[in-house]
Amino acid sequence: MPTPETPDLDELLAAAHVVRLPMRVRFRGVTEREAVLLRGPGGWAEWCPFVEYADADAARWLAAAVEAGWGQLPAPVRDEVGVNATVPALPAAEVEGLLARVDARRTAKVKVAEAGQSLDDDVARVTEVRRVLGPAARIRVDANGAWSEQEALAALERLAPLGLEYAEQPCGTVEELAALRLALARRGVDVPVAADESIRRAQDPLRVARLEAADLVVVKVAPLGGVARALEIIERCGLPAVVSSALDTSVGLSLGVRLAAALPALEHDCGLGTATLLAADVVAEPLVPAGGVLTLARAEAARDAVDPAALAAYRPGPDRETWWRDRLTRAHSLL
């Protein structure tokens, strides 16, 4: 797949629309999601690195946007992708109401290890998800690297009886993940380990495979630099992959669907249902699952359907507009 030629800065700035979208619930510490929508000759693209990320990280996200808007995407091999529900670090009493709004109920990803909460809170939340979704549902947990090795071992010993599909990034470092996998095996705790941040934020994403630190990898289009780059990393890792979102608008989610549709094998439902966490979107009909799946046709339609009225309605104030344009300038210089 040829690498797209990087457009010059003036072209990117002219194509950029900054938005700030309200969220239904607090997720990953965020109550409003800011993003930059870019209209290129190949269609709409999205650039939305989290505000705390360094410019080098932001540049990889920009490379993904350039691929989508100015390049050529790898060809798909499937027409639809299974999608999991996402349960933020809510009190257990709020889980049923959240899941009632989600049409993706065969698999759920549950956030755990939230700052200010306890393991008892995590167990109660996962227990309630299991009760609501039933014994056949697949449940995975995501700690975003917040546990130490010993904390992760203790937590997964308590959570394992609830039937976990896998634990996503239970510890922060690749070395901790490798040690945790070994400790879980020695204790007879059958919980596979998935690597997320250790892939998407690492200078060397292949260390996870070399150190046998994970059973599968969670990949996101934007942090890895685009669909083609993500496919290359997955192939070189040689591990099963789950495609997830980075709390994207429907434009970013459509590119996640495109990656999942291009994978040679797809054994797990993907984390691409997060449009339900947004109270507003940049398209009139957000890209949300129907019957637990997203089709490639719906994803492509959503990407083409950015609403100018939404871009205007959710445009932030001049200070945030300037902040993002300055950041775009810095990221562009690193491409």
Side-chain angles (χ1 to χ4, degrees), residues 19 21 24 35 37 39 44-46 248-255 275-276 278-288 294 298-314:
V19 294
L21 303 173
R24 296 184 187 278
L37 278 297
R39 178 69 186 219
W44 283 98
E46 178 173 314
D248 306 326
T249 76
S250 288
V251 171
L253 289 172
S254 72
L255 295 167
T276 58
L278 297 174
D281 208 329
V282 297
V283 299
E285 296 185 11
L287 186 59
V288 297
L294 286 170
R298 283 191 62 217
E300 295 297 325
R303 186 175 169 226
D304 290 338
V306 171
D307 183 2
L311 296 181
Y314 296 104

Side-chain angles (χ1 to χ4, degrees), residues 19-325:
V19 294
R20 176 189 287 162
L21 303 173
M23 297 189 58
R24 296 184 187 278
V25 295
R26 185 181 182 89
F27 185 80
R28 202 187 172 280
V30 174
T31 57
E32 293 180 307
R33 184 64 166 124
E34 292 184 338
V36 178
L37 278 297
L38 297 159
R39 178 69 186 219
W44 283 98
E46 178 173 314
W47 183 60
C48 60
F50 290 103
V51 296
E52 70 271 18
Y53 283 8
D55 288 347
D57 291 320
R60 285 197 296 272
W61 293 55
L62 186 56
V66 167
E67 178 197 54
W70 282 262
Q72 182 179 355
L73 295 170
V77 298
R78 62 183 57 80
D79 297 325
E80 66 178 35
V81 174
V83 177
N84 66 258
T86 299
V87 180
L90 300 170
E94 298 179 21
V95 164
E96 186 167 13
L98 179 136
L99 289 173
R101 301 195 299 267
V102 176
D103 188 11
R105 299 170 64 86
R106 69 186 183 190
T107 305
K109 179 168 83 169
V110 186
K111 289 292 183 178
V112 293
E114 182 83 355
Q117 296 187 8
S118 69
L119 178 55
D120 287 340
D121 295 321
D122 295 336
V123 172
R125 185 180 311 111
V126 178
T127 299
E128 181 65 0
V129 173
R130 174 59 72 199
R131 184 193 71 79
V132 172
L133 296 187
R138 289 171 283 183
I139 298 177
R140 54 189 70 159
V141 296
D142 182 7
N144 289 116
W147 285 324
S148 68
E149 178 194 337
Q150 290 304 312
E151 289 170 337
L153 181 59
L156 295 179
E157 283 185 312
R158 286 191 61 185
L159 290 166
L162 294 168
L164 298 185
E165 183 183 21
Y166 59 77
E168 182 175 328
Q169 200 70 41
C171 305
T173 70
V174 175
E175 289 79 8
E176 286 176 313
L177 293 180
L180 175 63
R181 284 189 74 223
L182 183 58
L184 289 170
R186 287 173 172 168
R187 297 279 188 94
V189 180
D190 184 17
V191 178
V193 171
D196 177 8
E197 285 87 348
S198 291
I199 296 289
R200 63 181 167 89
R201 299 203 67 189
Q203 293 299 315
D204 180 7
L206 301 180
R207 285 188 71 234
V208 165
R210 287 201 304 272
L211 296 185
E212 299 183 345
D215 299 282
L216 64 158
V217 293
V218 178
V219 294
K220 298 177 172 68
V221 171
L224 293 178
V227 175
R229 174 63 173 153
L231 286 171
E232 177 188 348
I233 289 171
I234 293 165
E235 180 180 6
R236 294 177 66 188
C237 278
L239 295 171
V242 176
V243 180
S244 188
S245 79
L247 200 53
D248 306 326
T249 76
S250 288
V251 171
L253 289 172
S254 72
L255 295 167
V257 174
R258 186 61 180 264
L259 170 58
L263 286 175
L266 186 61
E267 302 172 12
H268 302 272
D269 288 339
C270 292
L272 298 170
T274 51
T276 58
L277 300 176
L278 297 174
D281 208 329
V282 297
V283 299
E285 296 185 11
L287 186 59
V288 297
V293 301
L294 286 170
T295 66
L296 185 61
R298 283 191 62 217
E300 295 297 325
R303 186 175 169 226
D304 290 338
V306 171
D307 183 2
L311 296 181
Y314 296 104
R315 185 175 180 177
D319 57 333
R320 296 307 296 167
E321 182 104 19
T322 298
W323 188 90
W324 277 100
R325 289 179 175 274

